[in-house]
Amino acid sequence: MRLHRLRAGTGRPLVSVVIPCYNYGHYLPDAVQSVLAQPGVDLEVIVVDDCSTDDSAAVAERLATQHPQVRLIRNPVNKRHIATYNTGLAEVTGDYVVLLSADDQLAPGALGRAAALFGAHPELSLVYGQVLTFAEPPLPEPQRARSWSTWRGPEWVERSCRTTGNLITNPEAIVRREVIERFGGYDPRFPHAADMLLWLQAATVGDVGRVNGTQAYYRDHGANMHSTDYAGVLTDMRERSVLLEHFLGREGAGSTVPGAAEMRAASRRTFAREALRYALNELDAPGPHDAGPHAAGQDDAGPGLVAGLAEFAREQWPAVTGTRLGRAVESRSRAGAPAWHAPASRRLFEARWALRWQRRHRWGT
């Protein structure tokens, strides 16, 4: 990673912002306004209504009438999210492309900052930044951008694959249009993490940059897709593992990245360790822990969460059973833990994730 001083942008690039919408008509005006208020760039806003049952289409039509930069595409039937994304992406004409959910918002000046970074480093194919979460307005105070970060594409791919996580939430990401044209948008085979795949694919054809400041706002209102259609830690890990197997496999774009085989093995080990850490955290939770649905919540993978996590870990890396984590899960499942141990273990688990979040929020990886 290299750090760079901020530089002012030159010219007025055209940025295409695709806003998929399904029954989010009450949020849509705020999302569109957050785009139209962006200075320093020309704008193309494409709202794709996925056959909403609320007033989303009427709201979008009114916005398109009021603002020449906005146009509406209406799906004749409900196509679900990936097809709706790709419908809008197929229409973009801008130099750079953003996908903004109708319930999220861009931070003031985000597109100009990203365009300036692209302009200063034409080798970049993907730029992202910090994202802040909110439930209802007022929005959190944005963190002022103080620097840029850049990574060589293979370096960013390796970091992403070895940590196995999706480093980008979504609304803060902007890609060159050529990335969309090359890979055809979002891959419908991976509906849970198609955005993660697109970021990885982008990093195989160019470098990656980050604006180290707030670029977008992600609305967490309890009905987000990650909380409904794809809820569950085990489901999430399984879906990401399948995605990385594809990306790093013979047919995936990541197969051309140096060290792809080593990254594949490293990702499996990371998945195995993380699954067992989740299992330990569940075992330390108050209540009974048997092979049935876990007291702390079920995962849609079928068996109890602890048993499912342990099975997933063995699938990813059979040797994990002989590690300290593997032995701890086996011992804890059989005999439990001393009363003093569980709270300390859970605090350690929470501290680990807090530190990881702080690192990603500050540095992007």
Side-chain angles (χ1 to χ4, degrees):
M1 181 186 76
R2 296 182 60 190
L3 283 175
H4 309 266
R5 291 184 177 180
L6 300 176
R7 290 163 54 182
T10 58
R12 289 183 63 89
L14 176 61
V15 181
S16 299
V17 181
V18 174
I19 305 181
C21 182
Y22 178 69
N23 288 351
Y24 278 167
H26 51 302
Y27 295 135
L28 185 59
D30 288 341
V32 170
Q33 186 55 43
S34 78
V35 178
L36 297 177
Q38 297 289 315
V41 296
D42 291 329
L43 295 164
E44 174 184 62
V45 183
I46 302 172
V47 178
V48 187
D49 179 67
D50 193 22
C51 201
S52 296
T53 59
D54 67 354
D55 64 345
S56 293
V59 172
E61 285 181 350
R62 184 166 62 251
L63 290 167
T65 300
Q66 295 171 345
H67 305 285
Q69 306 98 317
V70 180
R71 67 185 176 104
L72 169 63
I73 298 174
R74 299 182 68 174
N75 289 343
V77 297
N78 183 264
K79 295 183 178 181
R80 301 281 289 169
H81 64 295
I82 297 297
T84 298
Y85 298 170
N86 288 338
T87 294
L89 293 173
E91 298 293 320
V92 299
T93 62
D95 303 289
Y96 312 120
V97 181
V98 177
L99 183 80
L100 178 70
S101 294
D103 52 339
D104 297 334
Q105 296 183 39
L106 295 179
L111 297 185
R113 289 189 292 270
L117 177 49
F118 272 119
H121 295 273
E123 70 278 8
L124 299 178
S125 60
L126 164 67
V127 167
Y128 65 114
Q130 294 177 356
V131 62
L132 297 181
T133 300
F134 75 106
E136 293 296 335
L139 298 175
E141 187 69 23
Q143 297 182 14
R144 184 170 65 88
R146 299 180 181 277
S147 63
W148 291 334
S149 298
T150 60
W151 295 262
R152 297 285 296 166
E155 176 191 5
W156 196 85
V157 167
E158 180 176 12
R159 179 65 184 172
S160 299
C161 292
R162 288 182 180 273
T163 60
T164 74
N166 189 349
L167 300 177
I168 302 175
T169 304
N170 193 66
E172 79 273 26
I174 178 170
V175 298
R176 291 190 185 274
R177 189 181 74 244
E178 290 82 0
V179 172
I180 302 299
E181 294 172 342
R182 175 159 183 164
F183 295 104
Y186 286 69
D187 193 326
R189 293 173 295 176
F190 306 98
H192 174 69
D195 57 343
M196 178 180 175
L197 178 59
L198 185 61
W199 316 144
L200 289 167
Q201 290 170 330
T204 67
V205 295
D207 293 345
V208 178
R210 184 174 189 261
V211 176
N212 295 318
T214 302
Q215 288 290 89
Y217 294 100
Y218 176 81
R219 190 190 300 261
D220 190 351
H221 47 67
N224 310 73
M225 187 167 293
H226 83 274
S227 301
T228 54
D229 290 22
Y230 300 108
V233 62
L234 183 52
T235 296
D236 178 63
M237 283 195 288
R238 285 193 184 280
E239 295 288 342
R240 284 187 286 114
S241 71
V242 170
L243 183 150
L244 289 179
E245 286 292 313
H246 164 78
F247 173 72
L248 295 169
R250 187 176 302 175
E251 302 296 323
S255 62
T256 62
V257 178
E262 291 80 1
M263 284 184 252
R264 198 175 180 185
S267 73
R268 290 172 177 172
R269 292 193 295 270
T270 299
F271 276 125
R273 292 189 184 100
E274 295 298 347
L276 293 188
R277 289 192 180 102
Y278 274 112
L280 281 175
N281 191 56
E282 290 296 310
L283 288 166
D284 289 333
H289 310 289
D290 53 31
H294 196 273
Q298 297 182 354
D299 195 279
D300 54 13
L305 183 53
V306 171
L309 288 165
E311 179 185 5
F312 172 74
R314 291 190 296 270
E315 291 170 357
Q316 293 293 306
W317 183 32
V320 76
T321 56
T323 65
R324 179 187 60 81
L325 278 169
R327 293 191 297 270
V329 169
E330 181 181 0
S331 173
R332 203 80 55 83
S333 299
R334 184 176 58 253
W340 62 268
H341 186 277
S345 179
R346 289 179 67 83
R347 285 195 296 270
L348 179 61
F349 177 87
E350 292 165 1
R352 173 188 294 275
W353 283 103
L355 287 171
R356 178 176 294 185
W357 180 88
Q358 289 174 6
R359 175 189 170 90
R360 288 185 180 178
H361 184 72
R362 182 170 183 180
W363 302 112
T365 61

